[in-house]
Amino acid sequence: MSASSSRDSLAGAGWEGHEPGTYRELMPPKVNNLSWLNPSTLWKARNGPLASLFGDPTGADRQRWVRAQAAGGDLVITRDDPAEFSFLLLGDTGEGDDPQYAVVPGLLKAGAGTRFAVVCSDVLYPVGSANEYGRKFFRPYRDYPAPIYAIPGNHDWYDGLTGFMRVFCRAPALPPGPRPRPLSAAWWRGLLWRPSTTPDDERLDRAREMRGAPEQAAAQPGPYWALDTGPVRIIGIDTGLLGDIDREQGEWLRRVAAGPRPKILVTGSPLYVDGEHHPCTIEGGGTVDEIVRDPEHHFVAAIGGDIHNYQHYPVDVDGRRIEYVVSGGGGAFMHATHTIPRVAVGGVVEEEFRCYPMRGDSLAFYSRFYGDRLRMRRLFALTPDEAAAVIAERLEGTPVRTAAGPARVTLRTRFVASALGVAPRATSGVRRFRLPVRRVLTRVLSPGGATYSPPFFKSFLRLDVGADAIRVRCFAATGLRAQEEDPPVEDDFTIRL
């Protein structure tokens, strides 16, 4: 019998049974938890806003990286996996503190027998410095006995991709690019741009020893790639700082997407997220999702990171079903799900949508955090059942999990829900937040300082590939021992090939 999940009980969600997990035994003796409320952390991550204001250089820099690798062919990795095999997928992993390490025991247990793992987006935080890979990548996954492949996220690009390329492609640093014209947008951007960190190769070599077994070795040709394994092709794309791709990568994607082999897209920026469709622009015209939806390309799923939770949108595309998934719960702080309104996007309705944590648990979590931070716990803090009840009222449905006791919706619970960004009822006549306001709320209401003690509401995927189907399971990690010993399944669906 499978473990109780958050959809079944408070204990399955991690709200009851507070025996701590063993994950701290895996951590270094002294860890300074990463806080996104610290101004110095935000300053390190300044290249994203600068790219939005003065132009994004990642497309040109990406192609310099790819050409410098001089990789032959179409950046295809060929593996010798059998027709039936399994692999892991997790995203947004590397803060190097409690939430990341809390994922590891359950990942090792649920990942037994898998042939490899894929990290989709943001291998390291706050910036992808090669000198931090020891604590934030090699140490936590030292006992995973198989290769790990990765695609970068925006935070890996905050270091100019230097750390990512040194670790995963063993690439030397790029030479300086051409100087921008004085007073041009690129010139102004360069005045504040954070330069790449110079890798300490001796330190990095010592870190590599933690995953130095031959069976753990992984070689990838660049920041984007295609991986042929068993009956499927997995295609990883690099969406850079701002969630789009350059012209050359778009042309490459069209080439490797051709043919009848079933395909899974792995992307740093999800195509469906927070109840919205983001098709991902390609420089020069077209979108990534147009390529995914083209029946000649035979995509069966598109999985992205960037947002630190789990979301699942089963979209019907002209009679074919494509599974769009957000899998960004691999270790960084949890982004709120309670700000996601009632889902009606791409033909997917609320009853078909899944997320983890459930919206009620997300609201309960952040109500407690803000109650403590504002010293107004009696006003702000909601029990999980109270939070689930007010979420159900807003979604015009019933709570997913049976309440442990009476949970009335009151003026106080409605006030807390509204204050923390829960969308009003669709029939209330109150205008909903639109993007980018809702995305801002999701991020502002999800500070990293909130998630240093369980339950963490982290997650990862296991994909079991067969000749005619792929089973996808989302496993939860709370930081508590019960979920370490028997990781609960929060979603389970099958893709027909």
PDB file of all heavy atoms in Angstrom, residues 27-33 95-98 101 135:
ATOM      1  N   MET A  27      24.310  16.849   5.296  1.00  0.00           N
ATOM      2  CA  MET A  27      24.713  18.238   5.082  1.00  0.00           C
ATOM      3  C   MET A  27      26.103  18.508   5.640  1.00  0.00           C
ATOM      4  O   MET A  27      26.580  17.808   6.539  1.00  0.00           O
ATOM      5  CB  MET A  27      23.690  19.187   5.719  1.00  0.00           C
ATOM      6  CG  MET A  27      22.291  19.064   5.136  1.00  0.00           C
ATOM      7  SD  MET A  27      21.075  20.110   5.972  1.00  0.00           S
ATOM      8  CE  MET A  27      21.642  21.742   5.503  1.00  0.00           C
ATOM      9  N   PRO A  28      26.779  19.520   5.138  1.00  0.00           N
ATOM     10  CA  PRO A  28      28.047  19.943   5.739  1.00  0.00           C
ATOM     11  C   PRO A  28      27.820  20.390   7.182  1.00  0.00           C
ATOM     12  O   PRO A  28      26.694  20.719   7.575  1.00  0.00           O
ATOM     13  CB  PRO A  28      28.484  21.117   4.859  1.00  0.00           C
ATOM     14  CG  PRO A  28      27.683  21.008   3.614  1.00  0.00           C
ATOM     15  CD  PRO A  28      26.407  20.342   3.977  1.00  0.00           C
ATOM     16  N   PRO A  29      28.883  20.409   7.994  1.00  0.00           N
ATOM     17  CA  PRO A  29      28.716  20.770   9.413  1.00  0.00           C
ATOM     18  C   PRO A  29      28.101  22.142   9.623  1.00  0.00           C
ATOM     19  O   PRO A  29      27.325  22.347  10.546  1.00  0.00           O
ATOM     20  CB  PRO A  29      30.148  20.718   9.961  1.00  0.00           C
ATOM     21  CG  PRO A  29      30.890  19.824   9.028  1.00  0.00           C
ATOM     22  CD  PRO A  29      30.264  20.009   7.672  1.00  0.00           C
ATOM     23  N   LYS A  30      28.448  23.097   8.780  1.00  0.00           N
ATOM     24  CA  LYS A  30      27.931  24.450   8.953  1.00  0.00           C
ATOM     25  C   LYS A  30      27.362  24.955   7.640  1.00  0.00           C
ATOM     26  O   LYS A  30      28.060  24.987   6.630  1.00  0.00           O
ATOM     27  CB  LYS A  30      29.040  25.397   9.437  1.00  0.00           C
ATOM     28  CG  LYS A  30      28.541  26.807   9.748  1.00  0.00           C
ATOM     29  CD  LYS A  30      29.660  27.683  10.273  1.00  0.00           C
ATOM     30  CE  LYS A  30      29.151  29.099  10.599  1.00  0.00           C
ATOM     31  NZ  LYS A  30      30.238  29.959  11.110  1.00  0.00           N
ATOM     32  N   VAL A  31      26.103  25.313   7.648  1.00  0.00           N
ATOM     33  CA  VAL A  31      25.434  25.805   6.444  1.00  0.00           C
ATOM     34  C   VAL A  31      24.768  27.131   6.759  1.00  0.00           C
ATOM     35  O   VAL A  31      24.006  27.244   7.724  1.00  0.00           O
ATOM     36  CB  VAL A  31      24.378  24.793   5.937  1.00  0.00           C
ATOM     37  CG1 VAL A  31      23.565  25.410   4.803  1.00  0.00           C
ATOM     38  CG2 VAL A  31      25.034  23.515   5.465  1.00  0.00           C
ATOM     39  N   ASN A  32      25.061  28.129   5.972  1.00  0.00           N
ATOM     40  CA  ASN A  32      24.349  29.400   6.064  1.00  0.00           C
ATOM     41  C   ASN A  32      23.185  29.362   5.088  1.00  0.00           C
ATOM     42  O   ASN A  32      23.373  29.338   3.871  1.00  0.00           O
ATOM     43  CB  ASN A  32      25.290  30.565   5.725  1.00  0.00           C
ATOM     44  CG  ASN A  32      26.411  30.709   6.734  1.00  0.00           C
ATOM     45  OD1 ASN A  32      26.189  30.572   7.936  1.00  0.00           O
ATOM     46  ND2 ASN A  32      27.611  30.983   6.253  1.00  0.00           N
ATOM     47  N   ASN A  33      21.971  29.306   5.641  1.00  0.00           N
ATOM     48  CA  ASN A  33      20.797  29.219   4.783  1.00  0.00           C
ATOM     49  C   ASN A  33      20.693  30.443   3.882  1.00  0.00           C
ATOM     50  O   ASN A  33      20.910  31.571   4.313  1.00  0.00           O
ATOM     51  CB  ASN A  33      19.529  29.089   5.629  1.00  0.00           C
ATOM     52  CG  ASN A  33      19.370  27.705   6.220  1.00  0.00           C
ATOM     53  OD1 ASN A  33      19.668  26.704   5.563  1.00  0.00           O
ATOM     54  ND2 ASN A  33      18.910  27.637   7.457  1.00  0.00           N
ATOM     55  N   GLU A  95      20.032  25.404  -3.590  1.00  0.00           N
ATOM     56  CA  GLU A  95      20.298  26.420  -2.581  1.00  0.00           C
ATOM     57  C   GLU A  95      21.339  25.950  -1.576  1.00  0.00           C
ATOM     58  O   GLU A  95      21.893  26.752  -0.835  1.00  0.00           O
ATOM     59  CB  GLU A  95      19.012  26.822  -1.851  1.00  0.00           C
ATOM     60  CG  GLU A  95      18.085  27.670  -2.704  1.00  0.00           C
ATOM     61  CD  GLU A  95      16.941  28.274  -1.907  1.00  0.00           C
ATOM     62  OE1 GLU A  95      16.759  27.895  -0.738  1.00  0.00           O
ATOM     63  OE2 GLU A  95      16.227  29.130  -2.453  1.00  0.00           O
ATOM     64  N   GLY A  96      21.557  24.632  -1.508  1.00  0.00           N
ATOM     65  CA  GLY A  96      22.575  24.100  -0.616  1.00  0.00           C
ATOM     66  C   GLY A  96      22.183  24.107   0.842  1.00  0.00           C
ATOM     67  O   GLY A  96      23.043  23.940   1.712  1.00  0.00           O
ATOM     68  N   ASP A  97      20.892  24.244   1.155  1.00  0.00           N
ATOM     69  CA  ASP A  97      20.456  24.290   2.544  1.00  0.00           C
ATOM     70  C   ASP A  97      19.388  23.235   2.790  1.00  0.00           C
ATOM     71  O   ASP A  97      19.252  22.274   2.021  1.00  0.00           O
ATOM     72  CB  ASP A  97      19.988  25.696   2.930  1.00  0.00           C
ATOM     73  CG  ASP A  97      19.014  26.293   1.910  1.00  0.00           C
ATOM     74  OD1 ASP A  97      18.423  25.521   1.135  1.00  0.00           O
ATOM     75  OD2 ASP A  97      18.843  27.529   1.888  1.00  0.00           O
ATOM     76  N   ASP A  98      18.630  23.384   3.883  1.00  0.00           N
ATOM     77  CA  ASP A  98      17.718  22.326   4.309  1.00  0.00           C
ATOM     78  C   ASP A  98      16.753  21.842   3.233  1.00  0.00           C
ATOM     79  O   ASP A  98      16.623  20.630   3.030  1.00  0.00           O
ATOM     80  CB  ASP A  98      16.927  22.798   5.536  1.00  0.00           C
ATOM     81  CG  ASP A  98      17.784  22.859   6.783  1.00  0.00           C
ATOM     82  OD1 ASP A  98      18.733  23.662   6.823  1.00  0.00           O
ATOM     83  OD2 ASP A  98      17.516  22.103   7.731  1.00  0.00           O
ATOM     84  N   TYR A 101      18.566  19.457   0.686  1.00  0.00           N
ATOM     85  CA  TYR A 101      19.008  18.182   1.248  1.00  0.00           C
ATOM     86  C   TYR A 101      17.838  17.324   1.713  1.00  0.00           C
ATOM     87  O   TYR A 101      17.927  16.099   1.743  1.00  0.00           O
ATOM     88  CB  TYR A 101      19.994  18.421   2.384  1.00  0.00           C
ATOM     89  CG  TYR A 101      21.400  18.715   1.905  1.00  0.00           C
ATOM     90  CD1 TYR A 101      21.781  20.005   1.547  1.00  0.00           C
ATOM     91  CD2 TYR A 101      22.340  17.702   1.790  1.00  0.00           C
ATOM     92  CE1 TYR A 101      23.071  20.283   1.099  1.00  0.00           C
ATOM     93  CE2 TYR A 101      23.632  17.960   1.344  1.00  0.00           C
ATOM     94  CZ  TYR A 101      23.990  19.254   0.996  1.00  0.00           C
ATOM     95  OH  TYR A 101      25.265  19.523   0.541  1.00  0.00           O
ATOM     96  N   ARG A 135      29.028  22.055  -2.456  1.00  0.00           N
ATOM     97  CA  ARG A 135      27.967  21.960  -1.444  1.00  0.00           C
ATOM     98  C   ARG A 135      26.586  21.867  -2.056  1.00  0.00           C
ATOM     99  O   ARG A 135      25.681  21.265  -1.447  1.00  0.00           O
ATOM    100  CB  ARG A 135      28.051  23.175  -0.516  1.00  0.00           C
ATOM    101  CG  ARG A 135      26.966  23.226   0.547  1.00  0.00           C
ATOM    102  CD  ARG A 135      27.276  24.253   1.618  1.00  0.00           C
ATOM    103  NE  ARG A 135      27.340  25.610   1.112  1.00  0.00           N
ATOM    104  CZ  ARG A 135      26.294  26.431   1.061  1.00  0.00           C
ATOM    105  NH1 ARG A 135      25.096  26.016   1.435  1.00  0.00           N
ATOM    106  NH2 ARG A 135      26.440  27.665   0.618  1.00  0.00           N
TER     107      ARG A 135
END
